[in-house]
Amino acid sequence: QAQTGNREHGDGKKPFAGDRAMGRFETGDRDTTREPCPDRIIEDLGGAFGMGAVGGFLWHFGRGARNSPQGDRLQGALYSARSRAPILGGNFAVWGGTFSCFDCSLQYIRRQDDHWNAIASGFLTGGVLAARGGWKAASRNAVIGGVLLAIIEGVAALLMRSASETPREMHMREKQMKDNGGWPSWLRSPIAPTAAVE
């Protein structure tokens, strides 16, 4: 198979031509375990619906139980949760699907997958979904969406950087494992070479 592109995988091999076609571009500090575009749209759509439906069921179950008369609290809570949870799940799905569509579109236009795509997608999603309220409401929601996504992406980048090893730390760990006969430092091999005892 022909190999294209300048980005290399962790094993030093260049990616196949299908990588670009499936939407795998430079990711920077973004999560590389996510599905490539356009499969990411379906994944985010379903995940957003599930999160909104479960969260909405719990929220409206509690509100229904609190607002129902004594003796009918369980029935009222279940009725409120069943009738309102799918609506909230649908709203979440619309937001997640719109966001993913913008994210994948920007990824193909810019030919890279980085934090700026997510921030711009949040800005565009907030503006588009509030467009029926006029340009003032659309502008306000666009700014809110961009700021929220900037905070989320910033926190995610910090977490990924703190969890990843620096080249020096990787070299020291490999050297330590080599000295221990290929075993981690906390689990020495019983056959690892030891210093001679006089």
Side-chain angles (χ1 to χ4, degrees), residues 94-103 118-131 138 141-142 145-146 149:
V94 169
W95 204 99
T98 307
F99 172 84
S100 293
C101 288
F102 279 124
D103 192 19
I119 296 172
S121 299
F123 179 87
L124 294 171
T125 301
V128 167
L129 295 182
N141 282 274
L149 264 296

Side-chain angles (χ1 to χ4, degrees), residues 24-43:
R24 294 174 181 169
F25 301 102
E26 295 291 345
T27 58
D29 292 329
R30 294 195 76 182
D31 187 7
T32 57
T33 61
R34 297 183 66 195
E35 290 290 332
C37 291
D39 297 341
R40 181 183 302 179
I41 299 174
I42 306 301
E43 181 186 35

Side-chain angles (χ1 to χ4, degrees), residues 52-130:
V54 172
F57 184 90
L58 296 175
W59 172 259
H60 289 292
F61 184 89
R63 289 192 62 183
R66 186 182 63 182
N67 298 329
S68 298
Q70 192 172 5
D72 292 330
R73 293 190 184 277
L74 181 59
Q75 185 177 0
L78 289 174
Y79 175 79
S80 177
R82 286 199 308 265
S83 60
R84 300 297 301 176
I87 298 175
L88 187 60
N91 292 336
F92 270 65
V94 169
W95 204 99
T98 307
F99 172 84
S100 293
C101 288
F102 279 124
D103 192 19
C104 290
S105 299
L106 291 173
Q107 178 179 328
Y108 278 102
I109 292 172
R110 300 181 63 235
R111 313 305 284 179
Q112 58 182 349
D113 185 13
D114 57 12
H115 299 293
W116 291 110
N117 287 354
I119 296 172
S121 299
F123 179 87
L124 294 171
T125 301
V128 167
L129 295 182

